[in-house]
DNA sequence: CTAAAACTCCGTACCGTGTACGAAGTTACG
DNA sequence: CGTAACTTCGTACACGGTACGGAGTTTTAG
């Protein structure tokens, strides 16, 4: 078999088999000392602590007590490892229960993912990637679609609204997580950072040129954003509700 | 002066002076052959074409015909260069005109940023960063706040709704851009990618386990997402409108 | 007028990254 | 029992950001 289907990319069959845990155990050769599962779990631990930047194949190998290149017998490349990490983490979300209405289901979806991203901030650092066709990702997506099917929407709008809610949650989570990630990366806390920039507001910022920002700053509105996630979520779902109402 | 305020981080005064173009020209020494402006513009060109991953100090230097380390006389580090790139690109957005209502203003904000992110996809690849306190970023933010001030909201809700709309736009833009970025990085086009995974849907995917996804796939709903941005934007703004109405 | 100070430019070097390659050892099958 | 298939992993390469310090250039202080 050629080493890669396209430029440097792994075999799709292999990737999907890994995601679905359907990789046939090889018969020949020495028994494997590790499992894909352990590799993925370890990688998640490291990424949880050090972020996606802090995740390196060498670190994973070191923590597992194996040589770096040994990991490549479990996983074709780092990109596939990240896909596995994403799908595995997504498996942590709670699923809707029978009897829940569409709004309740979407709220559950949103809150579960909100928490998920806080537990695993690196999930939002993966950029420019295609959908992960893993069991947990598809499950979660199917559940979310199901909520909107319950609302009686057609297929196009189901997809549209799932995207809307998903996008909302990811966006908010990113905001909420960014400063913590910056702190980890730079070693500068939020307080230190803002304090070091206080001189800007005092000496350089043109208040008259930014009347709205000035007003918001003076009111201390940025420290009042505690319940913003729930607030925005309610507004987003209200938008859907209004769409449903107007339709009739 | 110590080389850095915190671990590896540059002097905030210097960073802000750069953003606002207030870096005092040095008197001693040879005249500079470049300007910060040219460095930033060149970096944006490269990032537009090759993504944030494809942006390296060496490439910028090469294109400008200077040694790599010479860039460090213009910019303290790559992180600051990216901040400058972000603020400069944000300067491209059109601003609201007098007489526009709050909804019109938010639509303009959303559409302008939607297009901005498509012109400069790398903007959405910057993760875990703190706000950029540059002139264009603050200007755009002030304008967005102004739209909601016009709607008669209090400060806390102004911030909340700007975040909401901003998050929506960024989320949608990310989806829209991700596949293009994946193509650039891996050399595999969307068609190729999905074709290479067709076997999954045919042979492995359990339709009965994913009734909603099955329904949506069969209906071809994913190819009907053309106007999804405007659709979701309208729903998001409807949510705000309903909030305003309920308030009275 | 001279010397020092301040500055630009940049070659070299260091450490960290993903991973290709191939040697060495292990197991199962024909 | 040989050989094919497999795991393990040391070495090496290309690429990344950037610290350091030397060489050359301009201004300024004395």
């Amino acid at each position: 078999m050629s080493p890669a289907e396209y430029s440097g990319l792994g075999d799709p069959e292999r990737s999907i088999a890994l995601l679905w845990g359907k990789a046939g155990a090889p018969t020949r050769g020495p028994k494997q000392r590790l499992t894909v599962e352990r590799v993925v779990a370890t990688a998640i631990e490291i990424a949880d602590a050090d972020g996606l930047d802090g995740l390196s194949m060498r670190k994973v190998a070191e923590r597992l007590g194996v040589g770096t290149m040994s990991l490549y017998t479990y996983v074709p490349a780092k990109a596939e490892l990240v896909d596995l990490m994403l799908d595995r983490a997504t498996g942590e979300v709670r699923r809707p229960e029978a009897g829940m209405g569409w709004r309740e289901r979407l709220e559950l979806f949103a809150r579960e993912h909100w928490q998920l991203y806080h537990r695993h901030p690196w999930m939002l650092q993966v950029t420019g990637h295609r959908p992960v066709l893993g069991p947990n990702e598809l499950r979660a997506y199917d559940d979310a679609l199901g909520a909107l099917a319950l609302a009686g929407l057609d297929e196009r709008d189901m997809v549209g609204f799932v995207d809307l809610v998903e996008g909302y949650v990811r966006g908010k989570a990113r905001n909420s997580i960014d400063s913590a990630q910056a702190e980890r990366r730079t070693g500068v806390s939020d307080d230190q950072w803002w304090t070091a920039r206080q001189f800007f507001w005092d000496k350089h910022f043109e208040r008259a040129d930014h009347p709205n920002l000035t007003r918001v700053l003076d009111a201390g509105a940025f420290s009042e954003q505690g319940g913003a996630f729930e607030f925005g979520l309610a507004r987003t779902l209200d938008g859907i509700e209004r769409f449903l109402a107007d339709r009739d």
Side-chain angles (χ1 to χ4, degrees), chain A residues 64-227:
Chain A
L64 286 166
V66 300
T68 307
M69 293 312 291
S70 301
L71 297 180
Y72 287 85
T73 47
Y74 298 91
V75 149
K78 195 187 183 185
E80 279 80 359
L81 175 58
V82 172
D83 279 359
L84 290 168
M85 293 165 65
L86 286 169
D87 194 68
R88 185 180 194 273
T90 301
E92 294 174 11
V93 300
R94 266 188 303 154
R95 301 191 52 201
E97 288 157 29
M100 284 183 170
W102 70 265
R103 187 159 177 143
E104 210 178 344
R105 282 167 192 256
L106 285 184
E107 281 170 354
L108 180 70
F109 175 88
R111 290 182 188 133
E112 283 293 311
H113 279 81
W114 167 256
Q115 287 165 19
L116 177 69
Y117 296 137
H118 279 84
R119 283 196 302 274
H120 305 299
W122 51 268
M123 294 184 80
L124 297 173
Q125 288 193 281
V126 183
T127 65
H129 75 124
R130 292 193 230 251
V132 177
L133 300 182
N136 297 315
E137 294 266 8
L138 293 187
R139 168 97 293 133
Y141 196 66
D142 192 72
D143 284 342
L145 285 173
L148 290 159
L150 222 60
L153 290 170
D154 68 27
E155 292 84 6
R156 186 173 52 85
D157 292 345
M158 283 164 65
V159 172
F161 282 128
V162 169
D163 273 18
L164 181 63
V165 174
E166 198 179 12
Y168 168 70
V169 175
R170 294 173 71 97
K172 267 290 181 207
R174 231 178 285 263
N175 284 345
S176 160
I177 282 162
D178 265 358
S179 75
Q181 295 205 298
E183 174 163 354
R184 201 187 18 68
R185 279 212 314 212
T186 63
V188 182
S189 78
D190 246 30
D191 274 358
Q192 286 176 310
W193 193 86
W194 285 106
T195 303
R197 275 152 192 81
Q198 188 56 47
F199 78 92
F200 167 72
W201 302 105
D202 296 341
K203 300 205 193 109
H204 301 306
F205 180 63
E206 296 280 351
R207 292 170 63 89
D209 277 354
H210 305 85
N212 308 295
L213 185 49
T214 297
R215 184 181 147 198
V216 159
L217 282 168
D218 288 351
F222 289 108
S223 1
E224 290 176 356
Q225 292 298 314

